[in-house]
Amino acid sequence: MSAPLPLAAAPPPPPGLLDTPDDDFRAWLAERHQPPMRAGQIRRQVFANRAESFDTMTDLPVGLRAELAASFALFSARVERHLKAGDDTHKLVLRLADDRMIECVLIQDDGRATACVSTQVGCGMGCVFCASGINGVVRNLTVGEIVEQLLRLRNLTRREDAPPAGRPDLPTRLTNIVVMGMGEPLANLDNLLEALEVAGDPKGLGIGARHVTISTVGLPAKIKRLAEVGKQYSLAVSLHAPNDALRTRIVPTNDKTGIRAILEAADDFFEKTGRQVTYEYVVLGGLNDRADHARELGRLLTGRKAHVNLIPWNDVEGLPYRRPKDGDLTNFIDTLRRSGVSVKVRKRKGSEIDAACGQLRRRAEAEASATVTAAGSSGDSPAGA
Ligand code: SAH
């Protein structure tokens, strides 16, 4: 009696083109007797012509296109969900090659197109109000996975040759990047910086450092490193409370760092780069939105060239927080302004598809696993698809 044949393992997916080092790619071309200029042609196709598959690269020989498609994934993720709001905000949930999910957002407003990208699967910082960190961090995103988010979002902007369907202000390229998606950017700083180099390259996406904002929970040593890379990135620090006792309740990592070290690192960033630092403050009803908190925040920040961005909390299913009452928010703003601090409230974009950062992914994951369970247990076709 012969043993049952082992099931053939699925072949590993081809490596992502955006994560293939230039030298390796040139060597791959050389092995196929292709001139090195092919690398530049392909790059142009992806970055300038918005190609999303090798098939459409009609300036390449057909045989080469087929070989490329067999050897590389142009994009290594798939779009799991694509939601578009009436104000032309787009949200994408991407399923990565290892089936993990992340999300990214395109915000189009005032002639700008801003990409909000993730840097990690999940997040290890554990801020108590945030959906991204509920299950901790799984892994860092690769350079290619960060660049892919930018490309996919850019490809949703209006094409040069498309008429501006009712909205002539819609840009035809990405103008800004905010690194405010899932994850702690400074915990994946090397990959992020490399991805931002690609974004800044005129042969890449041509988005200069001044148009890039990196948001951090506040990791002092990493903020100092960022100050030393010699780029004009903007820094946003998630403060969320005016004193250590309260901040540690809201941002558990504060226990190890403390506000003082974060402010010192941010001051150092300002001195080295000349870039004003933004302090983000998620306003949680009844928790950090009292006039006393605003006064204390004012004292902390006066004398600093700083700006405060207030973000009324976006509801996250299952978390016991609430948005501030309108009157409390207004009072908070007025109190803070009286102490001389510049302050703005972040506008809510894409509100009908608004799932606070990380929520959409959780929903997609929950539904995907419900689908697997349903299919696995009853053999039914996927429910709710
Ligand atoms: N880890 C980085 C990036 C996080 S996302 C950081 O801590 O800055 C960018 C901003 O959105 C952060 O200030 C974060 O605290 C905030 N945020 C996360 N979840 C939110 C929610 N449900 N409502 C409002 N703001 C939220």
mmCIF file of all heavy atoms in Angstrom, residues 39 53 65-66 80 82 98 103-104 214 220 279 293 315 336 351 365 384:
data_model
loop_
_atom_site.group_PDB
_atom_site.id
_atom_site.type_symbol
_atom_site.label_atom_id
_atom_site.label_comp_id
_atom_site.label_asym_id
_atom_site.label_seq_id
_atom_site.Cartn_x
_atom_site.Cartn_y
_atom_site.Cartn_z
ATOM 1 N N ALA A 39 15.633 48.893 -16.690
ATOM 2 C CA ALA A 39 15.278 49.185 -15.287
ATOM 3 C C ALA A 39 14.624 50.562 -15.200
ATOM 4 O O ALA A 39 13.597 50.740 -14.534
ATOM 5 C CB ALA A 39 16.514 49.111 -14.397
ATOM 6 N N SER A 53 0.512 46.598 -13.761
ATOM 7 C CA SER A 53 0.893 45.233 -14.161
ATOM 8 C C SER A 53 1.918 45.347 -15.281
ATOM 9 O O SER A 53 1.998 46.388 -15.958
ATOM 10 C CB SER A 53 -0.332 44.446 -14.628
ATOM 11 O OG SER A 53 -0.588 44.740 -15.982
ATOM 12 N N ARG A 65 8.008 41.023 -20.762
ATOM 13 C CA ARG A 65 6.857 41.285 -19.883
ATOM 14 C C ARG A 65 6.396 39.993 -19.210
ATOM 15 O O ARG A 65 6.101 39.967 -18.024
ATOM 16 C CB ARG A 65 5.695 41.873 -20.691
ATOM 17 C CG ARG A 65 5.911 43.320 -21.050
ATOM 18 C CD ARG A 65 4.654 43.859 -21.695
ATOM 19 N NE ARG A 65 4.871 44.186 -23.096
ATOM 20 C CZ ARG A 65 3.902 44.296 -24.006
ATOM 21 N NH1 ARG A 65 2.648 44.074 -23.669
ATOM 22 N NH2 ARG A 65 4.174 44.617 -25.246
ATOM 23 N N ALA A 66 6.360 38.918 -20.007
ATOM 24 C CA ALA A 66 5.922 37.632 -19.447
ATOM 25 C C ALA A 66 6.919 37.141 -18.409
ATOM 26 O O ALA A 66 6.538 36.656 -17.334
ATOM 27 C CB ALA A 66 5.762 36.608 -20.574
ATOM 28 N N GLU A 80 -8.043 44.619 -0.578
ATOM 29 C CA GLU A 80 -9.095 43.824 0.064
ATOM 30 C C GLU A 80 -10.403 44.623 0.093
ATOM 31 O O GLU A 80 -11.476 44.086 -0.093
ATOM 32 C CB GLU A 80 -8.633 43.485 1.483
ATOM 33 C CG GLU A 80 -9.613 42.707 2.324
ATOM 34 C CD GLU A 80 -9.625 41.219 1.981
ATOM 35 O OE1 GLU A 80 -8.705 40.757 1.278
ATOM 36 O OE2 GLU A 80 -10.570 40.537 2.411
ATOM 37 N N HIS A 82 -12.003 48.777 -0.878
ATOM 38 C CA HIS A 82 -11.776 50.135 -1.363
ATOM 39 C C HIS A 82 -13.049 50.915 -1.088
ATOM 40 O O HIS A 82 -14.094 50.623 -1.655
ATOM 41 C CB HIS A 82 -11.459 50.107 -2.868
ATOM 42 C CG HIS A 82 -11.291 51.481 -3.457
ATOM 43 N ND1 HIS A 82 -11.050 51.694 -4.785
ATOM 44 C CD2 HIS A 82 -11.328 52.716 -2.898
ATOM 45 C CE1 HIS A 82 -10.951 52.998 -5.023
ATOM 46 N NE2 HIS A 82 -11.122 53.634 -3.882
ATOM 47 N N ASP A 98 1.629 38.055 3.106
ATOM 48 C CA ASP A 98 1.469 37.056 4.180
ATOM 49 C C ASP A 98 0.057 37.100 4.780
ATOM 50 O O ASP A 98 -0.171 36.619 5.883
ATOM 51 C CB ASP A 98 2.522 37.267 5.280
ATOM 52 C CG ASP A 98 2.405 38.627 5.960
ATOM 53 O OD1 ASP A 98 1.519 39.441 5.562
ATOM 54 O OD2 ASP A 98 3.190 38.900 6.888
ATOM 55 N N GLU A 103 -4.094 49.421 6.422
ATOM 56 C CA GLU A 103 -4.922 50.359 5.679
ATOM 57 C C GLU A 103 -4.185 51.657 5.381
ATOM 58 O O GLU A 103 -3.203 52.000 6.041
ATOM 59 C CB GLU A 103 -6.232 50.620 6.411
ATOM 60 C CG GLU A 103 -6.072 51.118 7.820
ATOM 61 C CD GLU A 103 -7.431 51.253 8.510
ATOM 62 O OE1 GLU A 103 -8.009 50.213 8.845
ATOM 63 O OE2 GLU A 103 -7.878 52.392 8.702
ATOM 64 N N CYS A 104 -4.668 52.336 4.361
ATOM 65 C CA CYS A 104 -4.101 53.636 3.992
ATOM 66 C C CYS A 104 -5.225 54.481 3.401
ATOM 67 O O CYS A 104 -6.252 53.950 2.987
ATOM 68 C CB CYS A 104 -2.929 53.474 3.028
ATOM 69 S SG CYS A 104 -3.282 52.538 1.543
ATOM 70 N N ILE A 214 5.693 63.206 9.847
ATOM 71 C CA ILE A 214 5.838 61.924 10.545
ATOM 72 C C ILE A 214 5.277 62.092 11.952
ATOM 73 O O ILE A 214 5.705 62.968 12.702
ATOM 74 C CB ILE A 214 7.329 61.513 10.599
ATOM 75 C CG1 ILE A 214 7.889 61.401 9.173
ATOM 76 C CG2 ILE A 214 7.502 60.212 11.375
ATOM 77 C CD1 ILE A 214 9.385 61.161 9.105
ATOM 78 N N PRO A 220 12.105 59.478 22.309
ATOM 79 C CA PRO A 220 13.108 60.552 22.273
ATOM 80 C C PRO A 220 14.367 60.221 21.469
ATOM 81 O O PRO A 220 14.818 61.052 20.665
ATOM 82 C CB PRO A 220 13.429 60.782 23.754
ATOM 83 C CG PRO A 220 12.200 60.328 24.471
ATOM 84 C CD PRO A 220 11.648 59.189 23.671
ATOM 85 N N TYR A 279 2.003 69.316 18.090
ATOM 86 C CA TYR A 279 1.617 68.383 19.142
ATOM 87 C C TYR A 279 0.183 67.953 18.889
ATOM 88 O O TYR A 279 -0.710 68.799 18.763
ATOM 89 C CB TYR A 279 1.778 69.024 20.525
ATOM 90 C CG TYR A 279 3.234 69.214 20.860
ATOM 91 C CD1 TYR A 279 3.893 70.398 20.571
ATOM 92 C CD2 TYR A 279 3.974 68.155 21.395
ATOM 93 C CE1 TYR A 279 5.253 70.553 20.816
ATOM 94 C CE2 TYR A 279 5.334 68.296 21.642
ATOM 95 C CZ TYR A 279 5.956 69.487 21.350
ATOM 96 O OH TYR A 279 7.308 69.622 21.591
ATOM 97 N N HIS A 293 -6.821 71.050 32.142
ATOM 98 C CA HIS A 293 -5.865 70.368 31.255
ATOM 99 C C HIS A 293 -5.347 71.343 30.194
ATOM 100 O O HIS A 293 -4.167 71.340 29.856
ATOM 101 C CB HIS A 293 -6.518 69.162 30.574
ATOM 102 C CG HIS A 293 -6.929 68.084 31.530
ATOM 103 N ND1 HIS A 293 -8.156 67.451 31.467
ATOM 104 C CD2 HIS A 293 -6.290 67.548 32.596
ATOM 105 C CE1 HIS A 293 -8.248 66.562 32.439
ATOM 106 N NE2 HIS A 293 -7.125 66.610 33.147
ATOM 107 N N ASP A 315 -14.797 57.334 17.364
ATOM 108 C CA ASP A 315 -15.242 56.141 18.091
ATOM 109 C C ASP A 315 -14.581 54.864 17.579
ATOM 110 O O ASP A 315 -14.417 54.687 16.385
ATOM 111 C CB ASP A 315 -16.751 55.976 17.926
ATOM 112 C CG ASP A 315 -17.471 57.194 18.442
ATOM 113 O OD1 ASP A 315 -17.451 58.228 17.732
ATOM 114 O OD2 ASP A 315 -18.000 57.136 19.545
ATOM 115 N N LEU A 336 -6.727 77.331 25.799
ATOM 116 C CA LEU A 336 -5.382 77.108 25.264
ATOM 117 C C LEU A 336 -4.915 78.336 24.478
ATOM 118 O O LEU A 336 -3.759 78.769 24.604
ATOM 119 C CB LEU A 336 -5.434 75.861 24.363
ATOM 120 C CG LEU A 336 -4.138 75.163 24.000
ATOM 121 C CD1 LEU A 336 -3.321 74.859 25.249
ATOM 122 C CD2 LEU A 336 -4.421 73.864 23.256
ATOM 123 N N SER A 351 -16.247 61.295 6.380
ATOM 124 C CA SER A 351 -16.866 60.834 7.624
ATOM 125 C C SER A 351 -17.781 59.615 7.446
ATOM 126 O O SER A 351 -17.858 58.782 8.329
ATOM 127 C CB SER A 351 -17.616 61.977 8.299
ATOM 128 O OG SER A 351 -18.418 62.646 7.366
ATOM 129 N N GLU A 365 -10.661 42.048 8.873
ATOM 130 C CA GLU A 365 -10.078 40.809 9.399
ATOM 131 C C GLU A 365 -11.139 39.957 10.075
ATOM 132 O O GLU A 365 -11.189 38.743 9.893
ATOM 133 C CB GLU A 365 -8.971 41.124 10.405
ATOM 134 C CG GLU A 365 -7.662 41.418 9.742
ATOM 135 C CD GLU A 365 -6.580 41.760 10.757
ATOM 136 O OE1 GLU A 365 -6.891 41.933 11.952
ATOM 137 O OE2 GLU A 365 -5.435 41.882 10.327
ATOM 138 N N GLY A 384 -22.086 36.627 3.911
ATOM 139 C CA GLY A 384 -21.945 38.084 3.979
ATOM 140 C C GLY A 384 -20.944 38.661 2.997
ATOM 141 O O GLY A 384 -20.516 39.788 3.155
#
